[in-house]
């Protein structure tokens, strides 16, 4: 049976730390797939003009393509070159909710994210998206420093 681990990427060096941890975990398992996930924060509740709504879909598709090219594909390619079974996905939505949904829908057993730096004590400890993910995820979440 292949074990799947979701790696939450954010396009910064914190994603590199999450990848490093997940790689270490994967080497300890017989069969493991690493799923690199990038979530573009997007609220469906934003009120917009009809003109803005007309361009919204196109903008979403452009953002997905950019995130795939700049963040997810390089991570997946590096993992594959290192001998890991890896794939990637980019979605729009609330970061915590969407990472959890990706994990549940893909049958992942764990989500790995890195602690984000931020302002204030809570954000320094976890980061707001990470904190929400830890509190509400349906699978175990590992937060690396």
């Amino acid at each position: 049976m292949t074990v799947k681990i979701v790696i939450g990427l954010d396009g910064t060096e914190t994603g590199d730390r999450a990848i490093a941890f997940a790689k270490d975990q994967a080497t300890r398992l017989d069969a493991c797939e690493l799923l690199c996930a990038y979530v573009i924060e997007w609220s469906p509740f934003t009120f917009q003009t009809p003109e803005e709504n007309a361009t919204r879909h196109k903008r979403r598709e452009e953002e997905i393509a950019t995130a795939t090219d700049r963040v997810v594909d390089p991570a997946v390619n590096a993992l594959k070159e290192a001998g890991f079974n890896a794939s990637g996905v980019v979605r729009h939505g609330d970061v915590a909710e969407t990472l959890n949904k990706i994990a549940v829908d893909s049958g992942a057993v764990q989500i790995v994210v890195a602690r984000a730096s931020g302002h204030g004590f809570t954000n320094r400890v976890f980061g707001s998206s990470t904190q929400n993910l830890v509190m509400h995820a349906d699978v175990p979440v590992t937060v690396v420093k």
Side-chain angles (χ1 to χ4, degrees):
M1 181 175 120
T2 299
V3 174
K4 189 173 288 190
I5 299 173
V6 171
I7 308 168
L9 302 178
D10 65 357
T12 69
E13 72 281 351
T14 62
D16 295 338
R17 296 193 313 263
I19 289 171
F21 182 86
K23 285 169 57 175
D24 183 61
Q25 292 295 100
T27 60
R28 300 167 192 265
L29 301 168
D30 289 331
C32 183
E33 179 183 348
L34 301 175
L35 176 56
C36 298
Y38 183 88
V39 179
I40 302 165
E41 191 74 41
W42 187 275
S43 172
F45 304 109
T46 302
F47 293 100
Q48 298 180 333
T49 67
E51 294 80 18
E52 290 170 323
N53 283 332
T55 62
R56 189 171 194 194
H57 179 72
K58 181 180 179 189
R59 189 168 66 245
R60 283 177 55 138
E61 295 303 314
E62 290 169 353
E63 289 175 345
I64 288 172
T66 299
T68 300
D69 291 342
R70 293 184 183 171
V71 179
V72 174
D73 281 352
V76 170
N77 291 338
L79 286 166
K80 286 181 176 180
E81 288 174 10
F84 292 94
N85 179 7
S87 59
V89 63
V90 177
R91 297 284 186 266
H92 279 95
D94 174 81
V95 174
E97 289 177 12
T98 305
L99 280 175
N100 184 57
K101 182 167 177 30
I102 290 168
V104 170
D105 290 351
S106 68
V109 298
Q110 180 182 21
I111 302 169
V112 177
V113 294
R115 182 186 74 178
S117 60
H119 304 292
F121 179 75
T122 301
N123 283 345
R124 280 197 306 266
V125 173
F126 290 111
S128 60
S129 294
T130 304
Q131 183 179 17
N132 289 334
L133 181 62
V134 168
M135 290 189 303
H136 302 291
D138 294 313
V139 300
V141 177
T142 300
V143 181
V144 298
K145 181 177 176 186

